[in-house]
């Protein structure tokens, strides 16, 4: 039987086991503890923000960010459709409506030129997503937001340690949102964080994630809050991950460079663009398949790779095509040709620290050999 190469795999080879054991032995396993404090401090420092708050996962980090911005029923939020469904679902959690905007072919992120046209009287904010680790073009997006009095929340779930014009993602808007799911660059299995600067927003977000309790009066709840707190055990994993953040990024960058080299020149195979101002996070390596030139469709290539024991994943199905959203999107007359084209042609190749150079070569050869 051929060896199976997964699309992602967590690297827990540093101090992870020791820190988790330490948390367990200390019996600080809920949401109070030294690791939570250390994680929040270090992650804020890493992102270049004044504060970071640990939460249960990236989806709830998004929800917390939208609650903090006081998103209400009937409001609209501009989002890309080429994203993980949580970006839109959390808008719906608030009773608000996501309005989908096409992506820019040069970044695969929400297109600043198209955002302004989608603004209505009900629009309250926008959520640019740094898709597959590449930052959205934040300056023009922030400009449109300022012009129309909108807030911006960055969905940085996939872009740990990425930079936009020298600044880290997560520090480029009112609130940044991260996921630490098992396939992410930094992981705690499940986990998330919001990053922010404004002390008033930090105060509100802290209350909302802690059941709404008044920080100065125990068991007094002036607002309806939530329990979105990260555990000390998850934070212990993240503290260990962050110690190795540079090494993790370096290994993944090397994998990206090798894929690019080994896959270069295959007719019909395209790569994720990198804007001149971007330093993307090397999350999951992306390729696009142009069926005519390659001789197989994206799904055809995935099937051949699966036969060879190589696990891949297709790009996200556009959210405006999914049952909970397609009727509303069609009623607004949304047409998102770049999103549809990318979603139909893109896939992610295996990307994780323990992937060896030989594995990369094997995957690349399997892609090359699949051409007809
Ligand atoms: C763009 C994006 N937003 C939000 C999330 C949600 O994060 P989580 O899976 O931790 O809930 C993810 C995914 O994992 C994501 O890729």
């Amino acid at each position: 039987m051929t060896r199976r190469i997964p699309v992602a795999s967590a690297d827990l080879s540093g101090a992870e086991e020791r820190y988790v054991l330490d948390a367990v032995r200390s019996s600080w396993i809920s949401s109070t503890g030294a690791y939570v404090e250390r994680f929040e401090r270090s992650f804020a420092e890493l992102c270049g923000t004044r504060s970071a708050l640990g939460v249960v996962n990236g989806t709830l980090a998004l929800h917390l960010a939208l609650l903090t911005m006081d998103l209400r029923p009937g409001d609209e939020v501009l989002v890309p459709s080429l994203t993980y469904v949580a970006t839109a679902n959390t808008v719906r959690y608030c009773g608000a409506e996501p309005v989908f905007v096409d992506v820019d072919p040069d970044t695969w992120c929400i297109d600043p030129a198209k955002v302004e046209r989608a603004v209505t009287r009900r629009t309250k904010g926008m959520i640019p997503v740094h898709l597959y680790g590449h930052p959205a073009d934040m300056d023009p997006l922030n400009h449109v937001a300022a012009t129309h009095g909108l807030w911006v929340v960055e969905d940085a779930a996939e872009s740990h340690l990425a930079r936009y014009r020298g600044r880290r993602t997560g520090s480029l808007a009112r609130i940044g949102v991260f996921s630490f799911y098992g396939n992410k660059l930094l992981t705690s299995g499940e986990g998330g964080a919001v990053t922010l600067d404004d002390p008033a927003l930090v105060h509100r977000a802290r209350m909302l994630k802690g059941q709404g309790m008044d920080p100065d009066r125990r068991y007094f709840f002036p607002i309806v809050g939530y329990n979105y707190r990260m555990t000390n055990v998850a934070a212990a994993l993240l503290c260990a991950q962050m110690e190795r953040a540079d090494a993790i990024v370096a290994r993944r960058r090397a994998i990206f460079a090798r894929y690019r080299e080994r896959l270069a020149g295959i007719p019909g195979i395209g790569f994720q663009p990198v804007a001149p101002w971007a330093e993307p996070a090397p999350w999951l390596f992306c390729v696009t398949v142009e069926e005519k030139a390659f001789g197989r469709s994206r799904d055809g290539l995935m099937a051949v790779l699966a036969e060879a024991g190589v696990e891949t994943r297709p790009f996200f199905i556009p959210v405006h095509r999914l049952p909970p959203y397609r009727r509303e999107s069609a009623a607004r007359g949304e047409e998102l040709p770049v999103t549809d084209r990318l979603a139909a042609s893109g896939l992610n190749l295996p990307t994780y620290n323990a992937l060896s150079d030989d594995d990369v070569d094997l995957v690349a050869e399997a892609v090359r050999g699949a051409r007809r």
Side-chain angles (χ1 to χ4, degrees):
M1 203 185 98
T2 46
R3 194 167 63 88
R4 209 179 127 267
I5 300 181
V7 74
S9 171
D11 173 2
L12 308 172
S13 60
E16 284 81 358
E17 195 176 324
R18 192 157 50 84
Y19 288 179
V20 167
L21 207 59
D22 180 47
V24 169
R25 286 186 175 149
S26 73
S27 86
W28 290 99
I29 56 169
S30 293
S31 53
T32 316
Y35 287 112
V36 173
E37 283 170 30
R38 185 161 134 199
F39 161 71
E40 291 188 340
R41 217 174 31 246
S42 320
F43 196 65
E45 202 174 299
L46 193 72
C47 295
T49 55
R50 202 174 292 170
S51 303
L53 306 182
V55 295
V56 177
N57 58 47
T59 303
L60 298 185
L62 267 169
H63 190 210
L64 179 64
L66 300 180
L67 292 166
T68 303
M69 298 318 301
D70 203 21
L71 186 63
R72 302 268 177 106
D75 294 344
E76 288 178 356
V77 180
L78 307 179
V79 299
S81 173
L82 190 61
T83 181
Y84 185 58
V85 70
T87 315
N89 279 351
T90 48
V91 173
R92 281 273 179 90
Y93 293 177
C94 299
E97 194 55 28
V99 169
F100 300 103
V101 178
D102 208 0
V103 292
D104 178 346
D106 293 334
T107 63
W108 297 0
C109 298
I110 197 165
D111 190 336
K114 293 181 180 161
V115 158
E116 194 145 27
R117 274 177 255 154
V119 175
T120 72
R121 274 188 304 120
R122 291 163 62 189
T123 312
K124 290 293 186 300
M126 65 174 89
I127 313 177
V129 177
H130 305 309
L131 192 76
Y132 300 125
H134 189 291
D137 194 358
M138 292 302 292
D139 284 352
L141 291 171
N142 279 324
H143 179 74
V144 172
T147 307
H148 295 275
L150 313 176
W151 46 254
V152 182
V153 166
E154 283 174 79
D155 185 341
E158 305 173 356
S159 73
H160 312 76
L161 291 116
R163 282 197 162 95
Y164 172 76
R165 298 186 189 281
R167 287 174 294 146
R168 293 265 196 228
T169 57
S171 70
L172 307 165
R174 300 290 297 281
I175 307 184
V177 168
F178 288 86
S179 163
F180 304 112
Y181 182 67
N183 63 14
K184 296 297 188 294
L185 218 132
L186 302 174
T187 184
S188 50
E190 295 281 358
V194 294
T195 49
L196 6 63
D197 277 319
D198 180 344
L201 291 183
V202 175
H203 178 78
R204 184 169 159 77
R206 246 190 222 293
M207 273 180 78
L208 282 164
K209 84 163 209 181
Q211 207 69 260
M213 190 160 77
D214 186 335
D216 301 320
R217 193 172 165 199
R218 281 183 80 203
Y219 297 104
F220 180 69
F221 302 92
I223 57 168
V224 174
Y226 302 76
N227 177 359
Y228 283 178
R229 298 181 297 252
M230 173 181 274
T231 66
N232 200 41
V233 179
L237 281 168
L238 286 167
C239 286
Q241 291 269 289
M242 279 192 299
E243 284 175 4
R244 289 185 300 123
D246 289 342
I248 289 171
V249 169
R251 176 62 202 142
R252 295 174 85 110
R253 276 202 208 295
I255 289 169
F256 267 50
R258 198 169 181 97
Y259 267 135
R260 277 186 179 265
E261 185 194 311
R262 298 293 150 131
L263 293 168
I266 305 178
I269 294 294
F271 299 134
Q272 184 179 21
V274 179
W277 38 255
E279 202 180 292
W283 183 41
L284 290 178
F285 192 81
C286 304
V287 293
T288 55
V289 181
E290 199 206 308
E291 187 170 348
K292 251 202 195 131
F294 189 68
R296 270 185 215 277
S297 65
R298 183 271 311 271
D299 293 349
L301 172 60
M302 287 178 63
V304 172
L305 292 175
E307 277 287 303
V310 177
E311 190 191 15
T312 56
R313 57 175 243 189
F315 277 12
F316 298 119
I317 296 171
V319 181
H320 78 290
R321 299 280 179 202
L322 297 176
Y325 298 102
R326 62 189 173 208
R327 202 165 45 88
E328 289 79 357
S329 173
R332 288 189 298 267
E334 285 166 2
E335 285 185 17
L336 314 174
V338 184
T339 297
D340 284 329
R341 182 171 53 76
L342 283 169
S345 65
L347 71 150
N348 299 115
L349 297 180
T351 316
Y352 51 92
N353 299 4
L355 192 72
S356 69
D357 287 353
D358 285 349
D359 291 336
V360 174
D361 295 353
L362 188 151
V363 174
E365 274 318 298
V367 173
R368 195 176 288 279
R371 183 168 177 248
R372 285 201 294 210

